[in-house]
Amino acid sequence: MILANVFCLLFFLDETLRSLASPSSLQGPELHGWRPPVDCVRANELCAAESNCSSRYRTLRQCLAGRDRNTMLANKECQAALEVLQESPLYDCRCKRGMKKELQCLQIYWSIHLGLTDGEEFYEASPYEPVTSHLSDIFRLASIFSGTGADPAVSAKSNHCLDAAKACNLNDNCKKLRSSYISICNREISPAERCNRRKCHKALRQFFDRVPSEYTYRMLFCSCQDQACAERRRQTILPSCSYEDKEKPNCLDLRGVCRTDHLCRSRLADFHANCRASYQTLTSCPADNYQACLGSYAGMIGFDMTPNYVDSSPTGIVVSPWCSCRGSGNMEEECEKFLRDFTENPCLRNAIQAFGNGTDVNLSPKSPSFQATQAPRVEKTPSLPDDLSDSTSLGTSVITTCTSVQEQGLKANNSKELSMCFTELTTNIIPGSNKVIRPNSGPRRATPSAALTAVSFLMLKLAL
């Protein structure tokens, strides 16, 4: 009887050690089937090195050429190619905004994802990697940031947009690229053509892609107390060349033009992914990330879908692309919905106001860092002439995009180089999913040594 019990225990020990050593036991249920995405240029190289993947990729591209989704899926070869690619890094690949081979990366991404959806989607998935930084990170990096030592009286009277332009002139890269787009966008071609919009857009893209956001955001999202400041903010992108036109096209037509270009399509999809109003979050922004929304908004400047402030009112924030819904026919409801994602977007409005106030997301119900309010729509006011020649001296004006420490209920963190007043929201999120991983969480597994100790104890007891 004792020998039979010992034999059973040894069998149990063998099975336990096998299960502990198996690869499936090393993966928690949260991570099963998930793999970290690589950029599409690298994924394409990996696919090209594998004959099966390479041939299937070529087949799929041929399948997508000139065929609708139903026709493609009806073809067995196309279906087989898609199934193989869904298991390859190429299918889950993403791109980084401003990367060296961004256009090539986006072309690879859309070569797979275009045509795989059932008709034209209103919201498309973003081809870019998710943003993990927050506004507080920008406040920390900004060497010109000094909110804690500011005189509230001086701050209230200061033109923050003018201060931001002066700060840009103190940075060589910012000053160079800003001067470049101002020169190009103000250059008149002929009496009938006020500027070269294509070159103006290119210069604006270079500015917003290559200059750190602690400079560009302060020019684009500066808070204003008067009309002169708000007009300077509106004039940041030289709208007479980059934004306005003789007539406003239909918004759905403008979206169609944008989606024919891989870069414009990607930036628009990224804006919808990061700024689409969410009523399940405190801030109305996806994942409560203001930084992701503002970055996506700035990323659309310099394309056909370039957005801008509709007027120079300091009391309300209303932005829109240069389009309307006139002539939409039976598509008017869809057009209005598309336009409202800009003009009546609580996530975008709250993000712009939060940056202007120098605050980030604080999920504590006791002392919220920012009260999201509904800004009223205002009538368009006459624009003021823009003064684009800024002094390179900061003078006595203080750049204050942060509210007082006392108002936020935070302790000051003083240093020689900068003062910070911010709150941080940090979570670890698996890219491409909505699952949050908490430190030291997840199922705990028994170790082999613990199993051996338990079995040895039972064998000794039975033997006695």
Side-chain angles (χ1 to χ4, degrees), residues 311 313 315-318 343 349 353 373-379:
D311 55 38
S313 169
T315 58
I317 295 176
V318 182
T343 59
R349 183 179 58 251
Q353 289 176 340
T373 57
Q374 181 76 22
R377 186 162 185 153
V378 295
E379 296 297 325

Side-chain angles (χ1 to χ4, degrees), residues 202-267:
K202 182 179 179 181
L204 279 168
R205 291 197 301 269
Q206 290 177 338
F207 176 76
F208 285 101
D209 282 348
R210 297 179 184 179
V211 176
S213 52
E214 54 262 32
Y215 294 103
T216 59
Y217 282 19
R218 282 182 168 76
M219 295 176 62
L220 202 56
F221 308 121
C222 43
S223 62
C224 289
Q225 303 296 325
D226 56 51
Q227 193 178 32
C229 173
E231 175 61 14
R232 171 172 281 278
R233 180 175 63 188
R234 192 185 74 84
Q235 289 286 342
T236 297
I237 65 169
L238 280 296
S240 61
C241 180
S242 67
Y243 177 67
E244 299 164 1
D245 210 342
K246 294 177 181 178
E247 295 182 0
K248 285 188 175 182
N250 180 272
C251 291
L252 296 184
D253 291 342
L254 186 64
R255 182 185 68 176
V257 172
C258 174
R259 285 183 170 179
T260 61
D261 176 76
H262 288 314
L263 274 169
C264 187
R265 184 176 203 137
S266 301
R267 300 298 175 92

Side-chain angles (χ1 to χ4, degrees), residues 70-364:
N70 292 331
T71 304
M72 187 204 75
L73 292 179
N75 186 297
K76 291 185 178 180
E77 273 192 46
C78 298
Q79 211 169 18
L82 179 58
E83 290 174 0
V84 170
L85 290 176
Q86 282 177 331
E87 299 301 320
S88 74
L90 201 59
Y91 191 80
D92 292 324
C93 70
R94 292 292 182 270
C95 304
K96 291 181 181 179
R97 184 182 143 192
M99 64 185 291
K100 188 175 181 180
K101 297 180 179 180
E102 182 181 359
L103 180 57
Q104 181 185 351
C105 184
L106 294 173
Q107 287 172 339
I108 295 169
Y109 175 89
W110 290 114
S111 69
I112 294 178
H113 291 271
L114 278 182
L116 296 185
T117 55
D118 191 8
E120 183 87 350
E121 285 190 321
F122 191 88
Y123 295 117
E124 295 182 318
S126 173
Y128 293 107
E129 293 181 0
V131 176
T132 56
S133 59
H134 293 266
L135 288 185
S136 52
D137 299 317
I138 296 178
F139 298 154
R140 184 191 298 115
L141 292 172
S143 60
I144 60 173
F145 186 78
S146 58
T148 56
D151 184 350
V154 174
S155 174
K157 296 179 181 178
S158 178
N159 185 326
H160 294 154
C161 296
L162 178 60
D163 294 340
K166 290 176 179 179
C168 177
N169 283 341
L170 295 178
N171 178 276
D172 291 339
N173 187 43
C174 186
K175 180 180 180 181
K176 176 184 175 182
L177 291 175
R178 178 171 177 261
S179 299
S180 175
Y181 85 72
I182 289 175
S183 174
I184 293 172
C185 297
N186 274 329
R187 190 178 301 153
E188 187 176 303
I189 305 299
S190 66
E193 191 177 2
R194 62 183 122 181
C195 68
N196 188 321
R197 174 169 287 194
R198 183 181 61 81
K199 290 184 177 180
C200 176
H201 277 176
K202 182 179 179 181
L204 279 168
R205 291 197 301 269
Q206 290 177 338
F207 176 76
F208 285 101
D209 282 348
R210 297 179 184 179
V211 176
S213 52
E214 54 262 32
Y215 294 103
T216 59
Y217 282 19
R218 282 182 168 76
M219 295 176 62
L220 202 56
F221 308 121
C222 43
S223 62
C224 289
Q225 303 296 325
D226 56 51
Q227 193 178 32
C229 173
E231 175 61 14
R232 171 172 281 278
R233 180 175 63 188
R234 192 185 74 84
Q235 289 286 342
T236 297
I237 65 169
L238 280 296
S240 61
C241 180
S242 67
Y243 177 67
E244 299 164 1
D245 210 342
K246 294 177 181 178
E247 295 182 0
K248 285 188 175 182
N250 180 272
C251 291
L252 296 184
D253 291 342
L254 186 64
R255 182 185 68 176
V257 172
C258 174
R259 285 183 170 179
T260 61
D261 176 76
H262 288 314
L263 274 169
C264 187
R265 184 176 203 137
S266 301
R267 300 298 175 92
L268 179 60
D270 196 55
F271 170 77
H272 283 146
N274 293 313
C275 291
R276 182 181 175 185
S278 171
Y279 299 100
Q280 298 178 345
T281 59
L282 178 69
T283 62
S284 297
C285 286
D288 283 312
N289 194 332
Y290 286 146
Q291 155 68 351
C293 179
L294 295 183
S296 298
Y297 175 91
M300 286 194 298
I301 296 175
F303 294 95
D304 292 317
M305 197 57 70
T306 296
N308 197 29
Y309 299 93
V310 299
D311 55 38
S312 54
S313 169
T315 58
I317 295 176
V318 182
V319 299
S320 172
W322 185 260
C323 66
S324 72
C325 288
R326 294 176 63 182
S328 297
N330 59 358
M331 301 290 288
E332 186 172 358
E333 186 177 345
E334 181 175 344
C335 182
E336 292 289 350
K337 180 183 177 183
F338 176 82
L339 190 56
R340 282 196 302 270
D341 279 338
F342 293 90
T343 59
E344 301 175 22
N345 187 328
C347 168
L348 178 59
R349 183 179 58 251
N350 293 343
I352 294 174
Q353 289 176 340
F355 183 85
N357 294 333
T359 58
D360 199 358
V361 183
N362 181 3
L363 296 181
S364 172

Side-chain angles (χ1 to χ4, degrees), residues 440-462:
N440 301 323
S441 66
R444 301 182 66 179
R445 297 183 290 106
T447 60
S449 59
L452 286 171
T453 303
V455 173
S456 300
F457 176 77
L458 288 173
M459 290 177 63
L460 180 61
K461 190 171 181 179
L462 287 170

